[in-house]
Amino acid sequence: MSLEIKSRIWIEKDGQTLLGQGRVQLLTAIAETGSLSAAAKSISMSYKKAWRLLDEMNSAASTPLVITTVGGKDGGGAQLTDAGQQMITAFNNICSQCEALFAKLATKLPQH
């Protein structure tokens, strides 16, 4: 059995959480479904929580990560902005680099 180093990564702006694994999962689901409601359902998250997280992310970000439209005869929707896609990519790159570093550091741990 080998030892592993684990960590949870999140990004804050002015003490407010901007991104973390769950938020990135929500953004990715929004990009795939085009709907906040469908995205929340696809990741087993309540609509209320998804709306709160989206509002917090859009408030903390310099520019909105998601644009929403209110329902009507054609229904509403949610669309990831370029800034939203860039944040997903950056977050995933950071996580990959951290995991690679942790794997390297784990090899230096004493094996017991």
Side-chain angles (χ1 to χ4, degrees):
M1 178 186 290
S2 62
L3 299 175
E4 296 179 358
I5 300 172
K6 299 288 184 180
S7 179
R8 294 187 60 80
I9 306 291
W10 64 92
I11 298 171
E12 293 183 355
K13 181 178 179 187
D14 300 327
Q16 183 179 1
T17 301
L18 173 61
L19 284 181
Q21 192 61 45
R23 292 169 188 237
V24 168
Q25 189 178 16
L26 176 60
L27 291 176
T28 301
I30 289 170
E32 292 170 355
T33 64
S35 160
L36 181 59
S37 177
K41 187 175 184 176
S42 75
I43 60 172
S44 301
M45 180 182 288
S46 75
Y47 179 78
K48 183 177 179 178
K49 181 176 181 179
W51 183 256
R52 180 180 54 81
L53 292 178
L54 179 58
D55 187 49
E56 289 174 3
M57 287 186 283
N58 276 344
S59 294
S62 301
T63 61
L65 304 183
V66 174
I67 304 263
T68 58
T69 54
V70 180
K73 75 173 192 164
D74 295 325
Q79 181 178 2
L80 203 61
T81 64
D82 288 341
Q85 185 57 57
Q86 291 170 359
M87 291 302 284
I88 289 172
T89 301
F91 183 84
N92 288 336
N93 286 338
I94 289 166
C95 288
S96 293
Q97 290 178 37
C98 287
E99 288 170 10
L101 174 62
F102 296 155
K104 183 178 178 181
L105 292 173
T107 64
K108 299 177 189 298
L109 292 171
Q111 301 296 314
H112 294 282

